[in-house]
């Protein structure tokens, strides 16, 4: 799970109830410089609490903490089955006659008695409804409203980047020339360099992997910020309005 910091970790009044804030506070205490500032997105994983006394926020750990714990920290698989797998399956099989939440829970190794009251959809957290609905869409439908990624070459030229698969197609050969190898010596298409190793004046200067990585990172942060700004536009043609969620 990932969540963005909208302020400094120590400025959250309810920091004890925010998993991503707890992770950020631990990172700051450990002297880490990334994942501790407003606007950054914090990944976290819910871990097992052997004593059963820790809150959800206290059980949140960063992937880095888990990988360096030598097995001391264990992912709470039961939590993810109950909170992420179970709701999605319920949503998918809801139209099938004869299915019920209790049977699905038991099939997943959960306690089915907790779900014997109410319908199959009553067990789904309303806050997860949108995420569950999107899970049934393929990537083309899910991201059809997202703007295309545009990369800027050193000369200022804008290149539409549709992904690695499209880049490797024959009709993407022209766009492939904007990239270079890790050494920066030649471009991805093997063109644009003179025999003496100097750049041809008539060729577009290729992008290095570092430049591509930085541009993708900046555009990802901009998109995440736009999401958390929460602006909504009504579809009322007579009186359209813009508001925040």
């Amino acid at each position: 799970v990932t969540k963005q910091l909208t302020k400094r970790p120590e400025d959250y009044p309810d920091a004890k109830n925010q998993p991503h804030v707890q992770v950020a506070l631990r990172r700051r205490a450990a002297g880490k410089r990334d994942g501790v500032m407003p606007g950054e997105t914090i990944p976290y994983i819910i871990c097992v609490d052997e004593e059963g006394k820790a809150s959800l926020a206290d059980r949140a750990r960063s992937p880095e903490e888990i990988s360096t714990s030598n097995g001391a920290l264990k992912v709470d698989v039961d939590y993810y089955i109950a909170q992420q797998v179970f709701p999605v399956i319920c949503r998918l099989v809801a139209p099938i006659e004869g299915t019920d939440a209790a049977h699905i829970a038991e099939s997943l190794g959960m306690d089915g008695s907790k779900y014997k009251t109410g319908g199959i959809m009553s067990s789904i957290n309303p806050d997860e409804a949108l995420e569950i609905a999107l899970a049934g869409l393929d990537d083309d439908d899910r991201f059809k409203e997202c703007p295309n990624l545009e990369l800027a070459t050193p000369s200022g030229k804008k290149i539409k980047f549709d992904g690695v698969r499209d880049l490797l197609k024959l009709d993407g050969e022209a766009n492939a020339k904007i990239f270079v190898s890790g050494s920066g010596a030649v471009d991805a298409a093997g063109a644009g360099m003179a025999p003496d190793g100097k750049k041809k004046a008539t060729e577009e200067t290729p992008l290095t992997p570092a430049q591509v990585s930085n541009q993708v990172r900046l555009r990802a942060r901009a998109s995440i910020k736009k999401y958390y700004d929460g602006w909504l536009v009504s579809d009322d043609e007579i009186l359209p309005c813009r508001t925040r969620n």
Side-chain angles (χ1 to χ4, degrees):
V1 179
T2 60
K3 193 170 183 180
Q4 186 186 50
L5 288 172
T6 57
K7 61 186 77 173
R8 295 188 305 171
E10 59 270 21
D11 291 339
Y12 278 82
D14 58 343
K16 293 183 178 180
N17 299 322
Q18 299 279 357
H20 70 300
V21 177
Q22 289 299 307
V23 171
L25 288 171
R26 279 195 303 275
R27 292 185 64 80
R28 174 162 288 180
K32 304 290 185 181
R33 294 187 177 182
D34 61 312
V36 297
M37 299 299 293
E40 292 190 281
T41 304
I42 313 299
Y44 65 88
I45 299 172
I46 304 301
C47 294
V48 174
D49 173 31
E50 300 293 348
E51 298 181 357
K53 298 180 180 179
S55 66
L56 183 68
D58 289 333
R59 294 195 287 130
R61 294 291 186 274
S62 68
E64 182 182 352
E65 288 178 284
I66 296 176
S67 63
T68 58
S69 69
N70 295 322
L73 293 174
K74 299 179 181 179
V75 177
D76 191 344
V77 177
D78 292 337
Y79 168 82
Y80 284 100
I81 290 177
Q83 299 297 321
Q84 307 232 347
V85 178
F86 175 70
V88 173
I89 293 178
C90 285
R91 174 83 178 188
L92 292 174
V93 304
I96 302 176
E97 185 177 354
T99 57
D100 62 86
H103 178 68
I104 295 172
E106 291 174 355
S107 299
L108 293 173
M110 302 164 56
D111 183 2
S113 62
K114 296 180 180 179
Y115 306 95
K116 288 185 177 179
T117 58
I120 189 170
M121 298 305 296
S122 64
S123 59
I124 298 179
N125 187 334
D127 294 335
E128 298 176 342
L130 179 59
E131 181 179 349
I132 294 171
L134 291 176
L137 300 176
D138 58 29
D139 286 349
D140 289 339
D141 287 332
R142 186 175 183 182
F143 300 110
K144 65 180 180 180
E145 301 296 335
C146 296
N148 290 103
L149 172 64
E150 285 190 343
L151 300 174
T153 65
S155 67
K157 180 181 179 181
K158 298 289 186 179
I159 301 295
K160 181 181 176 183
F161 182 68
D162 292 321
V164 175
R165 285 187 304 176
D166 288 341
L167 187 68
L168 295 178
K169 292 178 181 178
L170 291 177
D171 57 2
E173 183 177 352
N175 282 347
K177 293 183 179 180
I178 68 171
F179 298 101
V180 299
S181 65
S183 64
V186 295
D187 65 18
M193 306 301 290
D196 59 0
K198 295 182 179 180
K199 189 74 182 71
K200 292 180 181 178
T202 58
E203 294 289 342
E204 178 70 60
T205 303
L207 288 169
T208 67
Q211 289 173 324
V212 175
S213 175
N214 288 338
Q215 291 192 47
V216 171
R217 188 188 302 272
L218 289 173
R219 280 156 182 74
R221 288 180 177 176
S223 296
I224 293 171
K225 181 181 182 300
K226 182 178 179 181
Y227 170 79
Y228 281 106
D229 282 344
W231 284 105
L232 301 174
V233 179
S234 72
D235 57 0
D236 191 331
E237 296 180 358
I238 299 177
L239 187 63
C241 64
R242 186 169 180 261
T243 184
R244 297 189 71 173
N245 186 4

